[in-house]
Amino acid sequence: MCGIAGWVDWQQDLEQHRTVIDAMTATMTPRGPDAQGTWVSRHAALGHRRLAVIDIAGGLQPMRRAGRDGGAVITFSGEIYNFQELRAELASHGWPFTTRSDTEVLLAAYLHWGTNFVHRLNGMYAFAIWDERTRRLVLVRDRLGIKPLHYAPLGDGMVFGSEPKALLAHPDMTTEVDREGLAELFAIPRAKTPGHAVYRTLCEVRPGCMVVADASGHREHRYWQLEARPHTDNFAGTAAAVGSLLEDVVRRQVVADVSVGTLLSGGIDSSAVTALAARELPSEPEAFSVNVGTSGSPGSDSWRPSADEPYARLVAEHLGIKRFVVDVTADELVDDIDRGLLARDLPGWGDLDTSMYHLFQRVREQCTVALSGEAADEMFGGYAWQLDGGFTGHDSFPWMYGRRQPADLLRDDVLAEIEPRRYEAERYHEALAEVPLLPGEDASRRREREVFHLGLTRWLGALLDRKDRMSMAVGLEVRVPFADHRLAEYLYNVPLELKRHGGTEKALLRRACAHLLPREIVERPKSAYPAARDAAYLARLRDLVLDLIHEPHAPVFDLLDREKVRVAVTSDLDRLPGPITAVTPAIGLTYVLQLNRWLELYKVRVAS
C-alpha cells in the first residue's frame, strides 16, 4: 500500500530543500512503516513510505527507470492486480525487469505506452510520475477512488500526497477553509464532492482521472467513466456472470508476499469474499470480526436487525477457518475520540471510525493484508435509499431524504454566507449531469441509473475514504474486491428488477454465492456496521458537549450556534444532526466535539 508525497517547482532548485520533502514524507509513516525513501532533483522531490507487500526486497521507492529516450521516477501507493500480465507483454516488447514488483511494471508501462497505459491497469492505486524527459508531473488515481491522492498548486509548482497532512507539512501551506469547504462539512458531509478536499487550495485527484502538470500549469483528464449499454442477460445468466467475475477478482486480490486475512461480519458481502479467498489462498485465511461493546443487549432495529456474532461464527465453522473477535469498549471509544480526526485530517464519523481503527489495529498484529466486503451494497442494491420510493423520489441525494444536516446547527450569519440548500442543490445537479444514459429509456430506468451513479460517485467515496484512513493509520492494507471497475461497468447496466429479483435485496449476489455458504448466510438481511449505542457512552459524550457549550472561547462556536447546540443536546437529542445517517445521536455529538478539536489542533483559519 504505502504513502506518497512530493513537491515540484519549475523555478526553484529543490536540491536545496531536502528537509522539506523529508518532513512531508515523514507524515506518511503510519501508511508505510517498513521503509522511507526520497528522490530529489533540481525541480522535483518525491517521497515514499513503504508497506512491503509484493517483492519485499526489490520494491523500494521512489523508483527510477531509464527509457529509450530518457528516464522517469515514480512514487506509488496501492496494488496493480494485473501486473504479471502487463510484465509479460512489456517483456515481449524488449523491456527487461530486475525486480518482481508491480512498481517497476508501472514505470515501464508509462515509458512504453505514455499516459495511455492507465487504460490497461486493474487495481487500486494512486501514484506520481516525474518525467525527466519533459519535466512533467503525472498524478493518477484509480477508477473508483479506492486510494487517495491530494494536490495543491504552490508558487511555480505543486505539492501532492496521499493525505492532506503530507501537503500541510510544507512550510508554505496553510490550514485555511473557505465558504465552499464549510459547505462540504455542513451541507453535504456524507456526499463530499469528488475533487474537493475541504481545505482551501487543496484538491483531490478525482477517481478515474489523471492530473498532468508542467511549467505552463496543470490540467485534469478523465480516463474512465461508466458507459450506458443495453443488458440482455436474464437473472440466471447475470448471476453466473457476476459469480465468474467475482472469482477472478478475488483470485487476483489474494496475491501477496505477506499474510492475507479477511474481515468477516457474517453478512453476505464479507462472507462471500471470505469463502472465495479461502478457496484461492494456499493456506486458510484468518478472519476478523468486531464487537462494539455495550453495557446491555445490543438490541435490534432497521439499522441492525441481527447481531453479527452467530452468523460470523457459522461462516468460520463452515469454511474451517480461524476467526478472531475484536471487542471495542465504550471507554476506548471515548479515550480515542481523536483517532479518526488525526487519520482523516478532518472531522469524521465518531465511534464508527474509532471502532474500525481498533479492529484494524488488531488485524495488523497478524496480517498485513485484509480483504473486505465494502462496496457490495452500492453495486448490488443493498440500501433503502436505492430501493424505497421515498428516497429515490427525493429531489436531492436520495440518502438525504428526511434527514437533518449539521448545517442546522450553524450560526445564522454563517448560514447566510454558505447557503447550504443552494450548495446542496448545485452539487446534486452537477452529479446528475455526469450520469450516462441510454436514449429511449423510460423515467423509471433513468432514475435507476441516476441512483446507481450517485451511489458509486458520491456515497461510496466516503466509505472507501474511511476504510483507507483507518487501515493505513495502523499500516494495514485493506483490499476491496467489490470495487473492481469491471464489476461496476457490468452492474451499472443491470436493471434493478434483476438486482432485487423476487423482491430480495442483493438477489444477484446471493444467487452467485449460494453454493459457497450456508443457507442462513445467503438469506440473512442486511445488517449495518455496528454503531455504539451504550447508554453510558452516550451520556459521557453528552456531558462533554455540555462542557464545551460552557467554554467561552471554544472555536467551534465561531461556526455553530451555541444555543442551537444546547437545545438539541438537552431537549431533542435523538434528532441531533450528524455527518451520516445513524440510529444513535452519538455520531452527531462526536461531530461537534471533533469540529472543535480540528479547529484547535490544526489551527484552522476560516477565510472571510
Side-chain angles (χ1 to χ4, degrees):
M1 194 65 71
C2 313
I4 68 175
W7 177 22
V8 297
D9 193 296
W10 286 274
Q11 299 300 323
Q12 290 193 69
D13 181 357
L14 298 188
E15 291 179 326
Q16 307 302 312
H17 300 282
R18 289 178 179 268
T19 57
V20 174
I21 188 60
D22 287 343
M24 293 173 66
T25 305
T27 66
M28 297 290 94
T29 298
R31 299 184 71 94
D34 296 329
Q36 174 166 323
T38 55
W39 179 90
V40 183
S41 68
R42 182 174 179 82
H43 296 297
L46 307 185
H48 188 265
R49 286 294 319 193
R50 188 180 187 211
L51 177 64
V53 172
I54 299 288
D55 191 3
I56 308 303
L60 296 175
Q61 298 185 51
M63 184 180 289
R64 182 183 182 278
R65 177 152 191 168
R68 295 181 176 88
D69 54 355
V73 188
I74 188 171
T75 181
F76 161 51
S77 169
E79 303 291 346
I80 305 301
Y81 300 129
N82 64 333
F83 80 96
Q84 293 170 332
E85 294 100 311
L86 291 174
R87 178 188 172 115
E89 185 175 359
L90 288 162
S92 73
H93 290 290
W95 288 89
F97 292 91
T98 60
T99 76
R100 296 185 297 105
S101 73
D102 51 353
T103 306
E104 187 180 18
V105 173
L106 266 181
L107 202 46
Y110 170 76
L111 291 167
H112 184 74
W113 287 301
T115 56
N116 283 333
F117 84 113
V118 295
H119 299 289
R120 299 171 178 266
L121 303 181
N122 179 304
M124 56 178 188
Y125 48 83
F127 57 84
I129 294 176
W130 173 253
D131 193 325
E132 297 175 298
R133 304 166 300 180
T134 58
R135 296 203 310 169
R136 180 176 68 170
L137 176 70
V138 180
L139 304 176
V140 181
R141 192 173 180 202
D142 65 67
R143 294 170 178 84
L144 293 180
I146 304 169
K147 302 312 299 174
L149 183 54
H150 297 77
Y151 69 96
L154 184 67
D156 293 309
M158 177 179 287
V159 288
F160 63 86
S162 296
E163 299 175 17
K165 58 175 62 70
L167 287 73
L168 297 175
H170 191 287
D172 294 335
M173 292 295 295
T174 60
T175 52
E176 187 173 72
V177 178
D178 58 17
R179 57 182 291 181
E180 284 204 4
L182 292 177
E184 291 286 324
L185 286 173
F186 291 102
I188 53 170
R190 185 61 179 79
K192 187 168 71 67
T193 307
H196 208 297
V198 176
Y199 291 100
R200 189 166 181 257
T201 77
L202 262 68
C203 302
E204 279 189 313
V205 179
R206 292 186 297 168
C209 290
M210 73 172 71
V211 173
V212 178
D214 55 27
S216 66
H218 69 276
R219 299 154 297 283
E220 184 177 72
H221 307 276
R222 176 170 293 283
Y223 68 87
W224 179 83
Q225 61 185 358
L226 294 173
E227 295 182 9
R229 301 188 182 96
H231 184 80
T232 57
D233 294 340
N234 61 16
F235 177 72
T238 303
V242 166
S244 177
L245 185 51
L246 282 175
E247 288 178 2
D248 179 73
V249 171
V250 174
R251 185 180 303 116
R252 293 176 182 276
Q253 295 200 18
V254 296
V255 175
D257 294 336
V258 294
S259 55
V260 178
T262 71
L263 307 175
L264 177 61
S265 70
I268 184 65
D269 312 341
S270 63
S271 299
V273 167
T274 299
L276 289 167
R279 297 202 313 182
E280 297 295 338
L281 285 165
S283 59
E284 299 294 347
E286 294 177 336
F288 297 83
S289 308
V290 66
N291 176 45
V292 181
T294 61
S295 57
S297 169
S300 63
D301 50 45
S302 60
W303 178 271
R304 281 183 62 76
S306 58
D308 290 340
E309 177 57 27
Y311 293 95
R313 183 173 62 248
L314 177 60
V315 174
E317 291 172 351
H318 176 78
L319 298 175
I321 62 176
K322 291 182 180 179
R323 185 177 68 95
F324 302 88
V325 180
V326 180
D327 291 306
V328 184
T329 68
D331 286 342
E332 287 173 319
L333 294 178
V334 174
D335 294 343
D336 293 335
I337 197 170
D338 286 344
R339 290 291 188 185
L341 168 63
L342 296 173
R344 291 174 179 267
D345 298 315
L346 290 170
W349 297 359
D351 62 78
L352 298 182
D353 286 351
T354 310
S355 62
M356 183 171 281
Y357 173 91
H358 279 279
L359 167 62
F360 290 158
Q361 190 175 52
R362 177 69 178 87
V363 176
R364 184 62 176 92
E365 293 173 2
Q366 293 175 243
C367 300
T368 305
V369 173
L371 271 61
S372 165
E374 203 80 87
D377 286 311
E378 288 76 12
M379 296 292 182
F380 292 98
Y383 296 116
W385 57 258
Q386 296 167 308
L387 308 171
D388 182 274
F391 290 90
T392 59
H394 182 48
D395 60 354
S396 183
F397 299 104
W399 48 85
M400 297 177 75
Y401 171 63
R403 310 297 182 187
R404 299 181 68 190
Q405 301 304 320
D408 292 345
L409 299 177
L410 289 170
R411 289 170 32 160
D412 290 346
D413 58 328
V414 180
L415 274 171
E417 179 68 19
I418 70 172
E419 300 180 90
R421 286 190 173 82
R422 175 197 59 79
Y423 190 84
E424 176 189 336
E426 289 178 353
R427 300 294 82 77
Y428 175 65
H429 289 294
E430 285 176 0
L432 288 185
E434 299 172 359
V435 180
L437 300 169
L438 271 182
E441 290 184 320
D442 61 25
S444 175
R445 181 70 182 112
R446 177 190 180 103
R447 187 55 178 165
E448 285 179 20
R449 289 192 183 277
E450 290 175 346
V451 170
F452 184 100
H453 200 273
L454 290 169
L456 211 65
T457 60
R458 299 305 193 271
W459 177 279
L460 179 60
L463 291 174
L464 295 175
D465 192 58
R466 168 181 169 238
K467 185 83 71 181
D468 174 83
R469 297 301 198 280
M470 299 311 121
S471 62
M472 295 312 297
V474 299
L476 174 71
E477 176 173 300
V478 175
R479 300 178 179 178
V480 277
F482 288 112
D484 186 279
H485 73 277
R486 297 168 299 164
L487 197 60
E489 290 170 348
Y490 184 71
L491 289 171
Y492 178 63
N493 293 295
V494 175
L496 186 60
E497 63 182 322
L498 295 183
K499 293 178 182 176
R500 60 176 311 186
H501 184 74
T504 302
E505 67 169 34
K506 294 193 284 192
L508 274 177
L509 178 60
R510 297 178 193 279
R511 170 67 74 85
C513 300
H515 64 293
L516 299 171
L517 298 162
R519 179 180 56 81
E520 295 92 333
I521 304 302
V522 175
E523 296 178 357
R524 184 191 179 194
K526 175 178 172 56
S527 195
Y529 182 90
R533 291 182 287 172
D534 181 83
Y537 168 66
L538 188 61
R540 289 183 66 182
L541 291 179
R542 183 175 178 274
D543 288 343
L544 288 172
V545 174
L546 288 173
D547 289 344
L548 183 65
I549 291 171
H550 290 99
E551 290 184 20
H553 303 298
V556 74
F557 294 113
D558 292 336
L559 299 173
L560 301 185
D561 186 295
R562 201 180 297 260
E563 181 61 15
K564 289 180 183 178
V565 176
R566 187 194 66 78
V567 169
V569 172
T570 58
S571 304
D572 199 16
L573 188 57
D574 286 339
R575 298 191 68 242
L576 179 71
I580 63 168
T581 303
V583 295
T584 167
I587 308 299
L589 291 169
T590 53
Y591 201 61
V592 173
L593 294 169
Q594 283 198 345
L595 280 165
N596 191 70
R597 289 287 287 159
W598 173 60
L599 293 166
E600 289 179 333
L601 290 175
Y602 286 74
K603 298 179 173 58
V604 177
R605 176 180 175 271
V606 178
S608 56

